[in-house]
């Protein structure tokens, strides 16, 4: 079976045949190209070509007959419905077995992949006049893709080699006319598991990629680093790793709960720079979605690798989106001989810091003292008289300001709170006995 690129732009063969208005006959290919016709009466027992045309004068079918008036092979022609230009020419055996087809113009997938990889270009707009010829094996499998420029010169080819069971075992990308291999895929199918091991080699025949295809032909190309499932986020920043370039890539945010988002689903198609092999860390997508605060989404990352295999989808089932800063309150004792605070958190925090800053009294050269709260101190709710780390050495006889700031799990920073005038005193009180004197008598 042959997959036609841009099928929606092609006029179907059935429709064209239904609009046939003219049948002409030619003795040979040379006569056909020269426009020298023969009448049906003059065909007799010699070989000939039967050409069928639609109502606009475009050829839609070309049959090659032997001198015994038997069909040997035939070609069909399909056209772009917008431009009217020839888009696809196919050659069939008499029994309608596809032997070869040629695609013309931009949008042809195989040549686009070849050009992007071989010549290092991200777009192939300048190559719209190219065309591709695809030769099939006797079993109907694509065997050789040949790529031609506007002048008919072959600039590249992709050759496929098959096992006896009809599975591709090797795929070579060659630059013409030198026939230099610039890319090679080697594949090994495991009948027991149904999986396929795939190795990619560069122009030096060095392995640059290795992966295992699922039983459904999907490859583990995409690794999503951030966001993580079930953890809130406050932006659409994303981190991921690609094992190979993507021919196409899509991220989709589906609303599943929380505050309603009438604009969902949000679908983002990655641009070329976002589809390159390697790490993409904390990037803002070119066409980043506008998500809704307090909404919950399901995120799906899908795509197709340059090798032609669909990537295994990466799905995060729950991604809360939160841009609201956390709310909390804090207090410190009127007098203290230990670094102690009390606070209330409306939601769990990912981090929080308490800072003791010298305000007045004996000078504290080590100020400010920064104390990070441990995980157990970050849960939602009230914490009363929490004593902070014993390694914090505040200065006796000094008055401090106590500062507090936290950040929620989504990364939103809360308000910066301050409690001023907090004295710190560790000196024992001194008592001077004045009366009564020892052994004295008292009546009150």
């Amino acid at each position: 079976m042959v997959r036609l690129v841009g099928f929606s732009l092609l006029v179907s063969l059935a429709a064209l045949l239904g609009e046939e208005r003219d049948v002409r006959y030619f003795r040979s290919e040379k006569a056909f190209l020269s426009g020298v016709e023969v009448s049906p009466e003059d065909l007799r027992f010699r070989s000939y070509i039967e050409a069928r045309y639609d109502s606009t004068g475009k050829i839609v079918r070309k049959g090659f007959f032997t001198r015994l008036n038997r069909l040997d092979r035939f070609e069909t022609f399909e056209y772009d419905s917008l431009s009217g230009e020839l888009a696809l020419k196919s050659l069939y055996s008499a029994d309608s077995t596809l032997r070869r087809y040629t695609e013309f113009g931009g949008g042809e997938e195989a040549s686009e992949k070849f050009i992007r990889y071989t010549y290092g270009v991200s777009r192939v707009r300048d190559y719209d006049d190219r065309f591709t010829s695809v030769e099939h094996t006797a079993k109907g499998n694509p065997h050789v893709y040949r790529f031609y420029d506007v002048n008919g010169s072959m600039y590249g080819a992709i050759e496929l080699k098959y096992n006896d069971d009809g599975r591709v075992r090797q795929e070579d990308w060659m630059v013409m006319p030198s026939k230099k291999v610039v890319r090679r895929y080697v594949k090994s199918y495991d009948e027991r598991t149904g999986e396929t091991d795939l190795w990619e080699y560069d122009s030096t025949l060095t392995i640059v990629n290795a992966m295992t295809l699922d039983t459904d032909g999907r490859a583990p190309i995409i690794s999503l680093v951030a966001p993580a499932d079930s953890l809130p986020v406050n932006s659409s920043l994303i981190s991921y790793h690609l094992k190979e370039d993507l021919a196409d890539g899509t991220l989709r945010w589906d609303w599943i709960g929380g505050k309603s988002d009438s604009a969902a689903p949000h679908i983002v198609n990655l641009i070329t720079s976002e589809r390159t092999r390697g790490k993409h860390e904390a990037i803002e997508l070119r066409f980043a979605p506008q998500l809704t605060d307090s909404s919950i989404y399901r995120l799906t990352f899908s795509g197709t690798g340059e090798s032609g295999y669909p990537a295994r989808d990466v799905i995060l089932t729950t991604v809360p989106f939160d841009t609201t800063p956390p709310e909390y309150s804090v207090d410190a004792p009127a007098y203290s001989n230990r670094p102690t605070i009390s606070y209330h958190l409306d939601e769990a925090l990912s981090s929080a810091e308490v800072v003791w800053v010298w305000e007045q009294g004996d000078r504290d050269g080590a100020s400010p003292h920064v104390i990070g709260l441990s995980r157990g101190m970050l849960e939602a709710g009230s914490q009363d008289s929490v004593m902070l780390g014993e390694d914090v050495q505040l200065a006796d006889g000094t008055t401090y300001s106590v500062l507090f700031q936290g950040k929620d799990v989504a990364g939103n920073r809360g308000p910066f709170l301050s409690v001023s005038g907090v004295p710190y005193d560790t000196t024992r009180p001194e008592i001077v006995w004045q009366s009564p004197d020892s052994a004295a008598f008292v009546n009150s």
Side-chain angles (χ1 to χ4, degrees):
M1 178 178 292
V2 177
R3 181 168 59 87
L4 303 182
V5 177
F7 180 76
S8 60
L9 298 178
L10 300 179
V11 179
S12 68
L13 178 61
L16 289 173
L17 292 177
E19 296 178 359
E20 288 179 10
R21 292 294 184 270
D22 192 10
V23 179
R24 305 174 194 174
Y25 299 93
F26 303 89
R27 184 60 66 191
S28 63
E29 184 70 20
K30 182 178 180 180
F32 169 80
L33 295 175
S34 302
V36 179
E37 301 180 38
V38 295
S39 64
E41 293 78 11
D42 293 332
L43 295 178
R44 298 179 183 176
F45 296 103
R46 298 172 59 186
S47 60
Y48 64 92
I49 294 173
E50 178 190 76
R52 297 176 180 268
Y53 300 81
D54 66 11
S55 59
T56 65
K58 294 187 179 71
I59 187 170
V60 294
R61 180 183 170 107
K62 184 178 173 185
F64 296 83
F65 289 81
T66 67
R67 60 182 180 177
L68 298 177
N69 201 32
R70 291 180 179 176
L71 179 64
D72 178 67
R73 64 193 185 279
F74 65 93
E75 293 177 331
T76 62
F77 303 80
E78 300 182 48
Y79 300 86
D80 189 299
S81 60
L82 298 179
S83 67
E85 298 293 330
L86 179 63
L88 180 68
K89 181 176 75 170
S90 304
L91 174 65
Y92 296 86
S93 302
D95 61 358
S96 298
T97 299
L98 179 64
R99 294 170 54 181
R100 182 176 66 248
Y101 69 88
T102 304
E103 291 180 300
F104 300 86
E108 196 281 303
E109 181 179 347
S111 63
E112 284 190 5
K113 290 196 305 181
F114 184 88
I115 292 169
R116 282 199 303 266
Y117 180 83
T118 305
Y119 301 104
V121 297
S122 59
R123 298 182 180 180
V124 292
R125 186 176 300 170
D126 296 336
Y127 296 83
D128 281 351
D129 290 326
R130 70 190 186 276
F131 62 96
T132 300
S133 174
V134 184
E135 180 181 332
H136 285 62
T137 66
K139 295 182 178 180
N141 296 319
H143 173 49
V144 181
Y145 292 78
R146 295 184 175 89
F147 309 121
Y148 299 87
D149 63 20
V150 64
N151 297 315
S153 298
M154 185 167 58
Y155 59 85
I158 296 179
E159 182 178 359
L160 305 179
K161 298 178 182 179
Y162 295 85
N163 293 325
D164 293 338
D165 59 3
R167 298 181 185 275
V168 176
R169 61 176 176 83
Q170 186 169 311
E171 178 178 325
D172 287 340
W173 296 29
M174 296 175 288
V175 174
M176 294 298 182
S178 67
K179 295 185 179 181
K180 176 179 174 56
V181 175
V182 295
R183 194 181 209 180
R184 171 173 289 171
Y185 289 104
V186 176
K187 307 169 188 180
S188 177
Y189 175 71
D190 188 331
E191 294 184 357
R192 182 179 59 85
T193 64
E195 297 176 334
T196 300
D197 291 323
L198 174 68
W199 296 272
E200 178 189 354
Y201 298 79
D202 62 13
S203 59
T204 66
L205 297 184
T206 299
I207 294 179
V208 295
N209 190 14
M211 53 189 174
T212 301
L213 309 181
D214 293 340
T215 55
D216 59 357
R218 293 185 174 273
I221 300 172
I222 303 170
S223 298
L224 188 57
V225 180
D229 208 354
S230 301
L231 292 183
V233 295
N234 64 353
S235 74
S236 56
L237 292 179
I238 186 170
S239 299
Y240 55 94
H241 180 271
L242 301 177
K243 294 200 70 174
E244 67 175 3
D245 290 354
L246 292 181
D248 60 77
T250 302
L251 286 108
R252 174 178 176 131
W253 284 262
D254 288 286
W255 178 87
I256 61 171
K259 185 177 180 180
S260 179
D261 181 359
S262 60
H266 302 273
I267 301 175
V268 176
N269 295 317
L270 300 184
I271 62 174
T272 302
S273 62
E274 296 164 349
R275 303 196 308 265
T276 56
R277 182 201 308 255
K279 295 181 180 179
H280 299 259
E281 296 183 353
I283 67 169
E284 182 76 29
L285 299 174
R286 175 71 176 276
F287 301 107
Q290 298 298 315
L291 304 179
T292 299
D293 183 31
S294 301
S295 293
I296 304 174
Y297 299 90
R298 180 178 62 251
L299 175 59
T300 304
F301 194 162
S302 58
T304 303
E306 276 291 350
S307 57
Y309 295 97
R312 186 185 302 157
D313 288 351
V314 177
I315 301 175
L316 302 183
T317 58
T318 305
V319 181
F321 187 72
D322 174 17
T323 58
T324 302
E327 295 184 359
Y328 42 74
S329 60
V330 65
D331 195 13
Y335 292 92
S336 178
N337 62 356
R338 294 182 300 178
T340 305
I341 63 169
S342 300
Y343 55 90
H344 177 81
L345 307 179
D346 283 1
E347 63 176 289
L349 301 181
S350 63
S351 63
E353 289 183 341
V354 181
V355 184
W356 295 71
V357 182
W358 178 87
E359 188 177 303
Q360 62 181 5
D362 293 343
R363 175 64 63 179
D364 181 359
S367 174
H369 301 272
V370 181
I371 306 168
L373 299 187
S374 62
R375 179 174 298 180
M377 299 177 179
L378 300 174
E379 300 297 327
S382 297
Q383 301 280 354
D384 186 44
S385 299
V386 176
M387 186 177 72
L388 305 178
E390 295 180 356
D391 57 340
V392 178
Q393 301 296 322
L394 302 181
D396 182 32
T398 300
T399 300
Y400 292 89
S401 292
V402 180
L403 313 179
F404 184 97
Q405 187 177 40
K407 184 170 64 175
D408 65 16
V409 179
N412 303 300
R413 290 192 176 276
F416 201 84
L417 302 184
S418 174
V419 180
S420 59
V422 179
Y424 184 74
D425 180 11
T426 59
T427 302
R428 294 176 181 271
E430 295 184 0
I431 302 175
V432 178
W433 193 273
Q434 293 183 336
S435 66
D437 292 333
S438 179
F441 291 92
V442 296
N443 62 357
S444 64

